[in-house]
Amino acid sequence: MTSGVTPALAVVEAWLGGRRPSVALVLGSGLGGLADRLDGADHLPYGRIPGFPGTTLPGHAGELVAGMLGGRQVLCQSGRFHAYEGHGQATVILPSRLFAALGIGQVILTNAAGGIRRTFAPGTLMCVADQVNLTWANPLAGALVPGDTRFPDMSAPFDAELIALAHRVAGAGGVALEDGVYGGVMGPSYETPAEVRMLERLGADAVGMSTIAEVIALRARGLRCLGLSLITNRAAGLSLTPLSHADVMTTARAAGAALGRLVEGVVASLHAREAGTL
C-alpha cells in the first residue's frame, strides 16, 4: 500500500462504515447519471479525501458515490483525474489503487470516445476488447510500489468473462453492443485527421483521453476490468461537424440511459452468479 493511498483509505473506509463494495464503477465525461441509478446513494466529495484534487472538467462531478445497484453494493468514481489537467500519473491512478486497497475485485470503466471505425455513429456502445497506449506514459514507471506487479501481463487487459457477460446482458436487454479497440491519447486537444488515420492503421476503433492508465494500474493489482465506451462523435476527418466537449456531453447524456441499463444488468448478473441463482 502506498503512502498516497493510506490517508485516502482511512477516510473512505470510515465513510463506508460496514459497507463492503465488491464492484467499482468509473464514470466518464457526461456519464455521471449512472450514479443516479444507485439506491440509498451516499456521496463523499473529493475535497474530503486526502490526495484527491478537485475536478476541472465539465461532466465530472468530483465525488465518490456508494449505494446499491443490481442487488449489490457498488462504489462509483464520479469524476476522473486526467494527466492533461496537470496531474501526475500517481494522482491519475490514485482511485484505482484505492479500489484495490478496499478489496474491490472488479471495476467497470466507462468513457466517452470518438468513433474511428466507419460504422460507429454517435450513440454506439462499444465493449473494449483491447487498448493501445498512445499517451506516451506508463503509471507504473519509477520505483516499484508495494502491491504492484512490476511486469503485469497485459495480454488480456479486459476480462474475457466480463466481456462475455456484458454481451449476454446486452442481448437479453435489446442493447446493441459492439466490440472494439480503445486508443488512448494524452489530450487535451482533439486529434487531427492525420492522427485519426494513424490510429485507424494501428487498429484503434475509438479514441479517448482516459482509461489507459487506470487499466494498467488495476491489472498491476490483479483487478478484473470491463471497459465500456460510449461513442459520442465521429473522430476528426470522418465528419464535417466541428468537435466540442459540449456536444460530447450532450450525446453522452442522451445515450447514457442504454449504458446505464447495461451496467446495472452486468452488476445484477454478477450478484446472481455469486449468489448461485444464475
Side-chain angles (χ1 to χ4, degrees):
M1 188 182 304
T2 71
S3 58
V5 170
T6 302
L9 178 63
V11 170
V12 173
E13 283 189 322
W15 167 66
L16 286 172
R19 295 171 295 187
R20 288 292 177 264
S22 58
V23 177
L25 312 178
V26 181
L27 309 183
S29 294
L31 299 173
L34 276 169
D36 296 334
R37 302 181 76 92
L38 272 60
D39 294 327
D42 190 9
H43 302 256
L44 179 65
Y46 287 169
R48 291 171 52 191
I49 308 174
F52 276 52
T55 55
T56 65
L57 190 65
H60 289 256
E63 60 183 7
L64 296 181
V65 187
M68 298 295 294
L69 182 72
R72 72 188 303 171
Q73 187 72 228
V74 302
L75 180 63
C76 287
Q77 178 190 342
S78 186
R80 274 188 165 101
F81 310 135
H82 303 83
Y84 65 70
E85 296 175 276
H87 301 310
Q89 291 291 309
T91 298
V92 171
I93 65 170
L94 180 57
S96 301
R97 285 178 167 158
L98 174 66
F99 297 154
L102 288 168
I104 290 171
Q106 298 152 129
V107 180
I108 301 174
L109 303 102
T110 70
N111 59 58
I116 295 176
R117 190 188 300 175
R118 305 308 171 101
T119 57
F120 280 3
T124 299
L125 288 180
M126 184 186 88
C127 189
V128 184
D130 206 344
Q131 66 182 31
V132 179
N133 183 2
L134 294 175
T135 67
W136 315 122
N138 190 302
L140 306 182
L144 179 63
V145 173
D148 281 358
T149 300
R150 172 49 87 189
F151 299 110
D153 178 14
M154 296 297 291
S155 58
F158 298 93
D159 188 85
E161 290 186 4
L162 293 180
I163 291 172
L165 177 60
H167 278 284
R168 287 197 298 272
V169 170
V175 176
L177 182 63
E178 302 282 350
D179 278 335
V181 175
Y182 178 86
V185 297
M186 175 67 174
S189 58
Y190 288 112
E191 304 73 38
T192 68
E195 289 166 343
V196 170
R197 291 195 298 272
M198 175 193 71
L199 284 159
E200 184 176 32
R201 289 168 184 165
L202 290 175
D205 298 292
V207 59
M209 305 172 193
S210 67
T211 305
I212 296 290
E214 295 157 312
V215 170
I216 293 172
L218 291 166
R219 293 303 303 137
R221 297 283 173 120
L223 278 70
R224 303 168 68 201
C225 299
L226 174 66
L228 298 170
S229 295
L230 174 57
I231 305 302
T232 54
N233 56 276
R234 297 185 189 276
L238 302 181
S239 168
L240 297 177
T241 304
L243 302 179
S244 76
H245 187 66
D247 290 342
V248 166
M249 290 195 297
T250 297
T251 302
R253 285 192 289 263
L259 179 59
R261 293 196 305 273
L262 176 59
V263 170
E264 184 170 2
V266 169
V267 173
S269 294
L270 286 170
H271 175 68
R273 177 182 294 178
E274 293 178 1
T277 59
L278 183 64

